[in-house]
Amino acid sequence: MPIGQDARLIAYSKLIDALPDLLDSRGRQALCDWLAPRQVLHDGQEDPGAVIVEGLETELAIAEIFRQLAERLDCPPADADRG
């Protein structure tokens, strides 16, 4: 990976690590609201996980990273309002 890309990833990581301390409650809630629908890959299947679809590895990994970020920010679970 080129040095510029490494530096970008490191800078993004440091910014994300700092967000919980930088955001007020409204900013944190806005970010949690943005993250909520992105924590689960919506592929149109009625039963998630019933069929493994090849080619979705990157999208699944992105959804998992968004879930981890939401957890780090103490966001409510993405499905908490579906009860």
Side-chain angles (χ1 to χ4, degrees), residues 8 17-18 23-25 27 38 42 55-56 59 62 65 67-69 72 81:
R8 183 184 306 255
D17 286 344
L23 294 172
D24 62 12
S25 61
R38 291 166 174 82
H42 298 284
L56 294 178
E59 289 82 1
I62 291 168
I65 295 296
R67 188 198 61 73
Q68 291 172 5
L69 290 170
R72 170 93 165 82
D81 59 344

Side-chain angles (χ1 to χ4, degrees), residues 4-51:
Q5 286 181 327
D6 284 344
R8 183 184 306 255
L9 290 175
I10 291 167
Y12 288 161
S13 179
K14 288 182 179 207
L15 174 62
I16 289 168
D17 286 344
L19 281 177
D21 297 326
L22 297 173
L23 294 172
D24 62 12
S25 61
R26 288 180 63 191
R28 186 180 293 236
Q29 184 59 53
L31 186 53
C32 288
D33 292 346
W34 185 88
L35 286 168
R38 291 166 174 82
Q39 295 176 50
V40 177
L41 178 63
H42 298 284
D43 59 1
Q45 293 185 68
E46 187 172 316
D47 183 9
V51 178

